[in-house]
Amino acid sequence: MDARIRRLEVNLVTVGTGVAIFGLWTLIRYALTLFIFDDDIVGYVPPDLKTVIYTFLGVLIGIACLFQVYIGLSARGEGKGKRKSVVYLVFAGIGLAMDIIFSATEAYALFFQGTEGLISGLASLTVEITSIVCTMIMMTSSIRLRRFRKSMQTETEGGAV
């Protein structure tokens, strides 16, 4: 049982790092998208309104990035035995649902509405699916680790009586 717990702890640290890095990747990707496809995103609007739109999008992207970094660092902390909060799992579940919906709409648009940017769309979809898999592995590892720790604690307390 100790080997399983160690494996799950290492798993949480590794996958937590991946989730945090995906959060930073999200920030970089959307920032580059905003700068490269400026006219496609905002269109031809007055400069004042463009500033408001970019500020809003920047705040939204920043929150999404911090959200993923918090989830990843919390998973790392749990893997190292420093955190025991369940809040990050709730956030991860919400983020996972949003990622699945986003990826499904992206896949639908890519395959059924046109082939413009097929290669970049497939690459983006692959990264999104990888992020979803990492989040799922993180959540299952965390839940299994909690169960194993609880069962070991119960065994220890039951054997001491």
Side-chain angles (χ1 to χ4, degrees):
M1 183 88 75
D2 287 337
R4 286 185 196 170
I5 288 176
R6 279 194 302 275
R7 189 182 81 232
L8 289 171
E9 288 172 343
V10 169
N11 215 9
L12 268 178
V13 171
T14 304
V15 176
T17 302
V19 170
I21 289 173
F22 274 122
L24 296 175
W25 167 246
T26 301
L27 178 69
I28 293 168
R29 182 178 64 159
Y30 286 123
L32 287 174
T33 301
L34 286 176
F35 289 122
I36 292 172
F37 299 110
D38 178 42
D39 290 335
D40 293 340
I41 294 171
V42 181
Y44 299 100
V45 296
D48 295 339
L49 186 58
K50 194 181 258 191
T51 304
V52 171
I53 292 171
Y54 277 141
T55 303
F56 176 73
L57 289 175
V59 168
L60 205 59
I61 292 167
I63 289 171
C65 174
L66 289 175
F67 185 71
Q68 280 190 299
V69 169
Y70 168 76
I71 291 168
L73 294 179
S74 294
R76 284 180 51 85
E78 185 171 355
K80 292 180 177 183
K82 296 178 183 176
R83 289 187 182 215
K84 303 241 191 260
S85 176
V86 105
V87 173
Y88 87 93
L89 286 175
V90 173
F91 286 159
I94 293 168
L96 181 64
M98 290 172 32
D99 282 346
I100 290 171
I101 291 169
F102 175 73
S103 296
T105 56
E106 189 174 343
Y108 177 79
L110 182 66
F111 294 119
F112 297 113
Q113 292 185 344
T115 57
E116 267 187 47
L118 181 64
I119 301 297
S120 65
L122 285 174
S124 178
L125 191 60
T126 303
V127 170
E128 288 296 325
I129 291 171
T130 305
S131 175
I132 289 169
V133 169
C134 279
T135 304
M136 291 171 96
I137 291 171
M138 181 198 65
M139 291 178 71
T140 57
S141 293
S142 177
I143 292 167
R144 289 178 65 205
L145 179 63
R146 288 167 187 257
R147 286 183 182 162
F148 281 139
R149 283 181 178 162
K150 189 174 183 178
S151 69
M152 283 193 63
Q153 189 177 35
T154 305
E155 287 175 9
T156 306
E157 291 172 359
V161 173

